[in-house]
Amino acid sequence: MALLGAAVVVLFVGEYSEELAIESVEFATLGLLAGMMILVYLTSQSGIYDFIAVRAGQISRGNPFVLVVMMAATVTVLAGFLDNLTTILLIVRITFLLADTRDIDPIPLILVEVVSANIGGAATLIGDPPNIMIGNAAGLSFNDFLLNTAPAAVSILAVITVALYFAFRKRIQVAEENKRYVMELDARASIRDMDELKRTLPVLLGTIAFFFLHQYIHVEPATIALSGAAVCLAVTRVPIEEALEKIEWTTMFFFIGLFVMVGALEVTGAIDHVADAITDLTNGNRNAELVGIVWTASVIGGIVDNIPLTAAMIPVVEQIQTTGGHSGDSAHWWALSLGACFGGNLTLISAAANVAALGLAERAGRPIGFWPFLKIGLPVTLASTALATAYVLLRYG
């Protein structure tokens, strides 16, 4: 659908040439996504992520509250430094194993992980696709996100995690015999290839380290991610053809179609009209603009998916900043980031991580229905967005 929409605007919007369409594609975003997809796939072949998940479960010692906290914390850390979609693909499969060994319902844990991935993904530049798009559009660094969105994401997720525990506590009680069985599992057996781990993990860690430094060494995040992927491809024993096949090409072309369509909206002046409408509605009041951006991104992004919402909102925010004389004021970007990422928890189709979890659950014979997800997603989204609004106004208002 995204590619069809892109073809339509190129063919039928007179002032939108093929050259302008190509210029509209954010290749830095695509490069960052492709590089991280390759890195994560190659490091996953060693079994390191299975090891992390099993150890997180063992640290809980069967205590339901500690189990929920450990899974939320594990997903948040991985989502922050890998990306939330990849994290869900890695962790949900292990969650079914952990749930089976404890004889508990895996669905509550998966819902906790999805919520944690979407909220925790807001903490870093590479944690969630909306942040990648915002960072590239606004020239914001990895450390900028750590200093501005990470405090909100971590503190709000702590509140939401406690609330989710009380919502699910009756469904995740672990019998004593199952606690003992889990503790007897050998987490080290999850490492399938120690030599591959020694070759690829240092490259991933080095890439993440360079993300912290990129604003000081003046190298773009996409260049760092692709360089890390190239080094990893050079040292791994995984064939390059296999690694390239694991890039989520459907996601990449989805982004390309979105960028082309949003470019058409900019050329035709539609973005200016939306920005003017928001400015008129808020009467140029900066606090009202921030609140409006948070809730617009959260609610609309929760309905239509937060990636196309972010693609459409980026030029709107740029225009609002220009019209209101706020150029260089990054507060509007943090409002958009938090709103878009937190809105990803609203429905099953609000974020790529949700769709991935749904597919994995269905293949395991434990489908997650739209309404059961909404019963959790709606209150989580409303509560987290309200807390994000308070954070934005207290810090930037």
Side-chain angles (χ1 to χ4, degrees):
M1 294 303 297
L3 291 174
L4 179 61
V8 168
V9 296
V10 171
L11 291 172
F12 297 106
V13 178
E15 62 267 47
Y16 194 48
S17 65
E18 295 175 22
E19 291 77 13
L20 288 175
I22 294 173
E23 290 175 7
S24 298
V25 177
E26 293 282 350
F27 288 102
T29 298
L30 300 179
L32 181 54
L33 283 170
M36 291 308 297
M37 287 175 182
I38 293 172
L39 273 170
V40 171
Y41 174 72
L42 293 177
T43 51
S44 71
Q45 297 310 291
S46 65
I48 182 60
Y49 303 114
D50 297 13
F51 171 83
I52 292 171
V54 172
R55 285 298 297 143
Q58 290 179 328
I59 291 172
S60 72
R61 296 186 176 275
N63 183 299
F65 177 74
V66 179
L67 177 62
V68 168
V69 170
M70 287 302 304
M71 296 311 294
T74 300
V75 169
T76 300
V77 172
L78 291 179
F81 294 102
L82 301 180
D83 83 65
N84 57 1
L85 172 58
T86 301
T87 298
I88 287 298
L89 292 172
L90 292 169
I91 293 297
V92 168
R93 178 171 54 86
I94 308 304
T95 301
F96 281 105
L97 169 65
L98 293 176
D100 287 344
T101 59
R102 290 165 169 77
D103 193 24
I104 59 176
D105 186 356
I107 300 304
L109 294 179
I110 292 173
L111 291 175
V112 169
E113 289 161 1
V114 169
V115 168
S116 301
N118 287 322
I119 296 179
T124 70
L125 169 65
I126 61 174
D128 206 353
N131 280 8
I132 297 174
M133 299 164 72
I134 291 168
N136 284 324
L140 299 169
S141 71
F142 192 88
N143 290 344
D144 288 334
F145 279 90
L146 281 180
L147 293 173
N148 289 276
T149 57
V154 172
S155 56
I156 292 171
L157 181 59
V159 175
I160 298 298
T161 299
V162 172
L164 289 174
Y165 164 73
F166 284 105
F168 293 133
R169 65 186 184 279
K170 293 182 180 179
R171 298 169 62 182
I172 53 176
Q173 296 298 320
V174 183
E176 279 300 323
E177 59 271 22
N178 292 327
K179 292 181 182 179
R180 290 194 297 271
Y181 176 72
V182 171
M183 296 308 299
E184 291 171 359
L185 288 175
D186 183 7
R188 290 174 297 179
S190 302
I191 303 296
R192 298 184 294 273
D193 190 334
M194 181 59 71
D195 290 336
E196 187 71 3
L197 178 65
K198 293 177 180 178
R199 285 190 292 267
T200 59
L201 185 59
V203 180
L204 176 63
L205 296 177
T207 303
I208 293 172
F210 274 105
F211 281 136
F212 286 96
L213 300 173
H214 81 90
Q215 67 188 106
Y216 306 110
I217 60 177
H218 306 294
V219 177
E220 290 300 313
T223 303
I224 293 172
L226 288 171
S227 299
V231 172
C232 212
L233 286 168
V235 300
T236 183
R237 290 181 179 173
V238 176
I240 186 171
E241 294 82 5
E242 178 182 332
L244 295 180
E245 286 174 0
K246 297 305 178 179
I247 293 176
E248 296 283 340
W249 291 108
T250 51
T251 301
M252 304 294 279
F253 281 100
F254 175 57
F255 269 101
I256 291 173
L258 286 177
F259 288 139
V260 172
M261 287 189 288
V262 171
L265 293 175
E266 291 186 78
V267 168
T268 57
I271 295 296
D272 293 340
H273 288 304
V274 175
D276 291 341
I278 294 176
T279 301
D280 291 341
L281 186 64
T282 59
N283 199 28
N285 182 285
R286 183 171 174 278
N287 284 352
E289 290 172 356
L290 295 176
V291 173
I293 290 171
V294 171
W295 283 95
T296 299
S298 179
V299 174
I300 298 181
I303 295 172
V304 303
D305 188 292
N306 59 4
I307 294 174
L309 176 279
T310 303
M313 283 293 292
I314 284 173
V316 171
V317 171
E318 289 175 337
Q319 184 61 29
I320 289 174
Q321 288 185 318
T322 301
T323 303
H326 303 312
S327 297
D329 180 1
S330 59
H332 294 79
W333 296 116
W334 308 133
L336 176 59
S337 169
L338 293 173
C341 293
F342 290 4
N345 284 318
L346 183 58
T347 71
L348 267 177
I349 61 170
S350 299
N354 306 14
V355 178
L358 171 64
L360 292 170
E362 285 182 346
R363 285 198 288 275
R366 298 299 301 268
I368 304 172
F370 184 89
W371 293 110
F373 188 96
L374 185 65
K375 285 169 61 178
I376 296 298
L378 179 59
V380 164
T381 300
L382 293 177
S384 59
T385 305
L387 291 171
T389 303
Y391 172 84
V392 168
L393 289 177
L394 286 172
R395 183 163 181 182
Y396 309 108

